[in-house]
Amino acid sequence: MFSGRIPNIESLETKEIEPLIKQLKEEEGRLKTLEEKNLFFLALGYLHLIKGDEEEALNYLENKIRGNFILQDLRMVFESQARNELAKKERVAGDFPAAIRNLEECLKIYLDLHRAYPSSPYQTDLPRLMAENEKHLGDLFFETKQFHMAWQFYRKALMREFVGNEAHQMEVHLALAKTYDSEHNLEEALDIYTFLLDSYDDPQVESSARAFLDARRQDMINRKLPVQALDLRLNGTEGRSGLGSKQTARKTPNNGYQHPHVQDFYAAVKQNDFSALFDAAFRILSEYPGLLEARGVISKTNQMVFDFIQKGNEWEESIDRILHLYPPMELRRLAFLLWRNQYSAQAARVYSVILEEHPTEVESSHMALYFLGRIHEDLGNNDQALEFYQQLLQKYDYGDYVQSAEFKIPWIHRLQGKLAQAEQEFQAFLDRFNPRAPEYESNLLNAYNFVAASYYWLAQTQSALNKTDERKITLRKLVELHPLNFYAMLARVELNMEPLSFVKEELPSPESQARQPGLGEIGRKRLKRAEKLIAIGFLEKGLDELAQVTHGRESNAFLHHLIELFLKAGGYQKTIALSWTLSLRNNHDSLPPRLIETLFPEAFMEKARREAEPYRLDPYLVLALMRQESAFNPNAHSSANAMGLMQLIPQTAKRVAHSLGEPAPESEDLKNPSLNIKLGVKYLNHLLEMFNDNPVYALAAYNAGPNRVKQWREIRSSLGDIEFIESIPFNETRNYVKKVLRNFVIYKNLYEKKNFTSWEQILAVRMSPATSDN
């Protein structure tokens, strides 16, 4: 139906609707099958609906779609939406009978949908839609003074249960109370207003109840109704406290503590009195460690110790007294918090307590030895760092940090100039992780990042020892075993190899098989629905259906069909994940060009190019960063509250927006691809300017923050760029920089046929004026 890129018709701007309608109508004559025509009319009906032409939408949705249509449930949803919108217009125009007819027809559609399509994805919304529809019908009957009919629909609306229905229930109760009042059924109205005041802490409820009381007080007194109950709730104070919990009111937390030491502790926390706080914590942990009220004392103390150090205070003996009472897990948490925030000396004190007090706690002591080595390495004390790494390997032959320590020893020896020793140790490390050895797979997860690095740094050590032939053999082995690794990209540059040697131009695109035995009835139907939805531009709805097709992925041909569908629909995160799975089945070797294109798609390239051009920034660096940050998922939301394609923290986004003279975005605004890319590119450019256009430091700062990177650079000022990457203390940041630069190289190789011949060329991420103008 669409030539070229499929537009996402669910997120069109107003100015795009009419041209798309015109484009589609020009294609109508080419349609042959009933299925094609039905899809065509569904798309046109939806476009007229969002354009605001409900009658034309109904013409397509009601009159032109024929036969057993696989998207009949969606057609019904669109028809109901069109009728709802028509009813709103008719109500404003005063044509109440027509509005009522359309809303009653909506209810019939919802009931038919509920009965006929139990597996429809729209089933979950039906209770809410029906309740809202019944409320609107009740309002129309109320306005036309058909109070009995209004009462019936309000009652139905109250009986619908759905998530988040509290506000709806309150509105319907208010409408029902007014209906009773209008019928002079004051007893029922009084009961509902009393119920509302007991249940909701809302100004609208109070205002309506007060108006009712003022208008009907004397009538209710004359009828001997219990008006004082409502009066107390509105005007009294003593009667309100015991009336039950309100649905929208927050409970006041009980912050009182019974134990005097716990009271002293939290009083000191409130006053930031660190001396009293540490004394109270010591008393609690030494004398009353089992108190229920003391459960949060350690975690709060950890935070206060960190705050104390952060304020520039010297370490105190009172802190040591507390730490000797800590369990090892809490010591680990505090030590890591301090280390991650650059308080290395203080972190070392805490790790030392673990070794002194808990030597039999294997996991904690193992971690403590590693991080003590890490801390001394960060401080430039390489001999002390080696002692801790070697001590770790003497005591433990398994654990999370064994492989890292094994890598660190030759790495430090290489930096110290002990090249022959480093060569032997790198080689010994690699021999232990021979991919043909039976135990390799079990150790691969922990060792993988260090194996590729070891090959590269072994080659650099061999080069320094003038072992030219051995260096070439090592680099070729790195390329063979880890073709998509960052270091393999560097090895190809050094060997002057084809940049994408793992891509075989002569290989055809992966075979694509649209159907796979064993999908099951529901799986086959979801797949077919997904294909049809995507074909006519309902991309988000298509992705929802496609994500639930989980069987059949053991077939490479069917997996490739799914990959192409996700790609068409803009589901890049799934496209990349499934392409990686398919590539991994061949160890990322001998890949056809199409598969590497789906692994590294040119997603959002137009927007990236537009925003990068004013800064002469290479748009492929923006794509490389987005691929790593969010896998091109605009709705990505991390545990650190980073959002959108370029994973911006809201506070950072606000600062960048301010620098551009634009209003501060709300968090949800950052899911808008155009805005997110604009702010993200501006921030990336700011970091590049801060670090003299060196993408290594700018990318590290993008991930870990510029202040940390400045401190890391001070410690490692003697290291070259690639050595700096390998020495980044945070695993996450180290791997992040490697992968973004790997992505950048592949993007440039793949789409611009750029053959890098040096590391300096890779670092040149600014476009020349002539290039950026083209």
Side-chain angles (χ1 to χ4, degrees), residues 428-444:
F429 177 81
L430 291 169
D431 289 344
R432 281 194 292 278
F433 293 98
N434 185 327
R436 295 169 184 83
E439 68 274 11
Y440 181 70
E441 285 298 324
S442 62
N443 290 316
L444 181 59

mmCIF file of all heavy atoms in Angstrom, residues 428-444:
data_model
loop_
_atom_site.group_PDB
_atom_site.id
_atom_site.type_symbol
_atom_site.label_atom_id
_atom_site.label_comp_id
_atom_site.label_asym_id
_atom_site.label_seq_id
_atom_site.Cartn_x
_atom_site.Cartn_y
_atom_site.Cartn_z
ATOM 1 N N ALA A 428 48.943 -16.832 29.160
ATOM 2 C CA ALA A 428 48.435 -17.838 30.101
ATOM 3 C C ALA A 428 46.938 -17.634 30.358
ATOM 4 O O ALA A 428 46.170 -18.603 30.445
ATOM 5 C CB ALA A 428 49.221 -17.759 31.409
ATOM 6 N N PHE A 429 46.533 -16.370 30.478
ATOM 7 C CA PHE A 429 45.108 -16.076 30.673
ATOM 8 C C PHE A 429 44.298 -16.586 29.493
ATOM 9 O O PHE A 429 43.248 -17.228 29.657
ATOM 10 C CB PHE A 429 44.921 -14.570 30.841
ATOM 11 C CG PHE A 429 43.486 -14.134 30.983
ATOM 12 C CD1 PHE A 429 42.834 -14.218 32.192
ATOM 13 C CD2 PHE A 429 42.779 -13.651 29.888
ATOM 14 C CE1 PHE A 429 41.507 -13.822 32.329
ATOM 15 C CE2 PHE A 429 41.450 -13.253 30.000
ATOM 16 C CZ PHE A 429 40.824 -13.338 31.225
ATOM 17 N N LEU A 430 44.777 -16.324 28.274
ATOM 18 C CA LEU A 430 44.043 -16.759 27.081
ATOM 19 C C LEU A 430 44.030 -18.269 26.944
ATOM 20 O O LEU A 430 43.035 -18.847 26.486
ATOM 21 C CB LEU A 430 44.665 -16.111 25.838
ATOM 22 C CG LEU A 430 44.450 -14.602 25.728
ATOM 23 C CD1 LEU A 430 45.309 -14.010 24.629
ATOM 24 C CD2 LEU A 430 42.978 -14.290 25.487
ATOM 25 N N ASP A 431 45.104 -18.928 27.331
ATOM 26 C CA ASP A 431 45.140 -20.395 27.264
ATOM 27 C C ASP A 431 44.085 -21.008 28.168
ATOM 28 O O ASP A 431 43.510 -22.059 27.845
ATOM 29 C CB ASP A 431 46.522 -20.910 27.671
ATOM 30 C CG ASP A 431 47.585 -20.607 26.626
ATOM 31 O OD1 ASP A 431 47.203 -20.288 25.475
ATOM 32 O OD2 ASP A 431 48.787 -20.645 26.961
ATOM 33 N N ARG A 432 43.844 -20.365 29.307
ATOM 34 C CA ARG A 432 42.821 -20.888 30.222
ATOM 35 C C ARG A 432 41.422 -20.727 29.634
ATOM 36 O O ARG A 432 40.500 -21.432 30.023
ATOM 37 C CB ARG A 432 42.889 -20.160 31.568
ATOM 38 C CG ARG A 432 43.997 -20.662 32.458
ATOM 39 C CD ARG A 432 43.840 -20.166 33.887
ATOM 40 N NE ARG A 432 44.041 -18.737 34.002
ATOM 41 C CZ ARG A 432 45.229 -18.139 34.084
ATOM 42 N NH1 ARG A 432 46.337 -18.863 34.038
ATOM 43 N NH2 ARG A 432 45.338 -16.829 34.198
ATOM 44 N N PHE A 433 41.269 -19.771 28.710
ATOM 45 C CA PHE A 433 39.943 -19.543 28.136
ATOM 46 C C PHE A 433 39.942 -19.838 26.641
ATOM 47 O O PHE A 433 39.410 -19.097 25.831
ATOM 48 C CB PHE A 433 39.484 -18.109 28.420
ATOM 49 C CG PHE A 433 39.250 -17.877 29.868
ATOM 50 C CD1 PHE A 433 40.218 -17.282 30.663
ATOM 51 C CD2 PHE A 433 38.090 -18.318 30.479
ATOM 52 C CE1 PHE A 433 40.014 -17.103 32.019
ATOM 53 C CE2 PHE A 433 37.878 -18.145 31.827
ATOM 54 C CZ PHE A 433 38.845 -17.535 32.605
ATOM 55 N N ASN A 434 40.584 -20.955 26.320
ATOM 56 C CA ASN A 434 40.566 -21.435 24.948
ATOM 57 C C ASN A 434 39.129 -21.778 24.561
ATOM 58 O O ASN A 434 38.471 -22.564 25.241
ATOM 59 C CB ASN A 434 41.442 -22.697 24.852
ATOM 60 C CG ASN A 434 41.581 -23.184 23.430
ATOM 61 O OD1 ASN A 434 40.672 -23.051 22.620
ATOM 62 N ND2 ASN A 434 42.741 -23.763 23.135
ATOM 63 N N PRO A 435 38.589 -21.199 23.474
ATOM 64 C CA PRO A 435 37.193 -21.463 23.126
ATOM 65 C C PRO A 435 36.922 -22.920 22.782
ATOM 66 O O PRO A 435 35.773 -23.343 22.739
ATOM 67 C CB PRO A 435 36.960 -20.557 21.906
ATOM 68 C CG PRO A 435 38.314 -20.285 21.358
ATOM 69 C CD PRO A 435 39.240 -20.280 22.533
ATOM 70 N N ARG A 436 37.961 -23.693 22.555
ATOM 71 C CA ARG A 436 37.744 -25.108 22.242
ATOM 72 C C ARG A 436 37.806 -25.981 23.492
ATOM 73 O O ARG A 436 37.593 -27.182 23.425
ATOM 74 C CB ARG A 436 38.779 -25.571 21.209
ATOM 75 C CG ARG A 436 38.591 -24.859 19.867
ATOM 76 C CD ARG A 436 39.767 -25.089 18.911
ATOM 77 N NE ARG A 436 39.578 -24.323 17.691
ATOM 78 C CZ ARG A 436 39.893 -23.043 17.556
ATOM 79 N NH1 ARG A 436 40.404 -22.397 18.573
ATOM 80 N NH2 ARG A 436 39.690 -22.417 16.412
ATOM 81 N N ALA A 437 38.129 -25.360 24.633
ATOM 82 C CA ALA A 437 38.197 -26.119 25.878
ATOM 83 C C ALA A 437 36.789 -26.321 26.433
ATOM 84 O O ALA A 437 35.935 -25.436 26.324
ATOM 85 C CB ALA A 437 39.066 -25.396 26.906
ATOM 86 N N PRO A 438 36.499 -27.497 27.034
ATOM 87 C CA PRO A 438 35.138 -27.790 27.508
ATOM 88 C C PRO A 438 34.624 -26.794 28.531
ATOM 89 O O PRO A 438 33.441 -26.490 28.567
ATOM 90 C CB PRO A 438 35.273 -29.188 28.137
ATOM 91 C CG PRO A 438 36.555 -29.742 27.638
ATOM 92 C CD PRO A 438 37.439 -28.599 27.274
ATOM 93 N N GLU A 439 35.529 -26.280 29.374
ATOM 94 C CA GLU A 439 35.069 -25.380 30.439
ATOM 95 C C GLU A 439 34.886 -23.949 29.948
ATOM 96 O O GLU A 439 34.471 -23.077 30.699
ATOM 97 C CB GLU A 439 36.072 -25.387 31.608
ATOM 98 C CG GLU A 439 37.426 -24.768 31.311
ATOM 99 C CD GLU A 439 38.408 -25.761 30.679
ATOM 100 O OE1 GLU A 439 37.935 -26.864 30.285
ATOM 101 O OE2 GLU A 439 39.590 -25.447 30.582
ATOM 102 N N TYR A 440 35.196 -23.698 28.664
ATOM 103 C CA TYR A 440 35.163 -22.313 28.170
ATOM 104 C C TYR A 440 33.772 -21.709 28.291
ATOM 105 O O TYR A 440 33.620 -20.590 28.757
ATOM 106 C CB TYR A 440 35.620 -22.289 26.709
ATOM 107 C CG TYR A 440 35.658 -20.899 26.103
ATOM 108 C CD1 TYR A 440 36.622 -19.986 26.509
ATOM 109 C CD2 TYR A 440 34.738 -20.508 25.142
ATOM 110 C CE1 TYR A 440 36.680 -18.725 25.962
ATOM 111 C CE2 TYR A 440 34.785 -19.245 24.591
ATOM 112 C CZ TYR A 440 35.765 -18.360 24.994
ATOM 113 O OH TYR A 440 35.811 -17.109 24.461
ATOM 114 N N GLU A 441 32.769 -22.469 27.890
ATOM 115 C CA GLU A 441 31.415 -21.920 27.898
ATOM 116 C C GLU A 441 30.986 -21.507 29.293
ATOM 117 O O GLU A 441 30.360 -20.466 29.479
ATOM 118 C CB GLU A 441 30.413 -22.937 27.326
ATOM 119 C CG GLU A 441 30.477 -23.082 25.821
ATOM 120 C CD GLU A 441 30.145 -21.789 25.089
ATOM 121 O OE1 GLU A 441 29.271 -21.044 25.563
ATOM 122 O OE2 GLU A 441 30.777 -21.504 24.063
ATOM 123 N N SER A 442 31.314 -22.293 30.306
ATOM 124 C CA SER A 442 30.874 -21.979 31.664
ATOM 125 C C SER A 442 31.547 -20.714 32.194
ATOM 126 O O SER A 442 31.006 -20.013 33.033
ATOM 127 C CB SER A 442 31.146 -23.158 32.602
ATOM 128 O OG SER A 442 32.538 -23.398 32.660
ATOM 129 N N ASN A 443 32.761 -20.442 31.696
ATOM 130 C CA ASN A 443 33.482 -19.265 32.170
ATOM 131 C C ASN A 443 33.337 -18.059 31.240
ATOM 132 O O ASN A 443 33.838 -16.982 31.542
ATOM 133 C CB ASN A 443 34.987 -19.587 32.300
ATOM 134 C CG ASN A 443 35.256 -20.538 33.440
ATOM 135 O OD1 ASN A 443 34.699 -20.375 34.519
ATOM 136 N ND2 ASN A 443 36.083 -21.536 33.197
ATOM 137 N N LEU A 444 32.660 -18.271 30.118
ATOM 138 C CA LEU A 444 32.641 -17.241 29.089
ATOM 139 C C LEU A 444 31.988 -15.956 29.570
ATOM 140 O O LEU A 444 32.452 -14.862 29.274
ATOM 141 C CB LEU A 444 31.905 -17.770 27.847
ATOM 142 C CG LEU A 444 31.823 -16.822 26.653
ATOM 143 C CD1 LEU A 444 33.216 -16.434 26.191
ATOM 144 C CD2 LEU A 444 31.063 -17.468 25.505
#
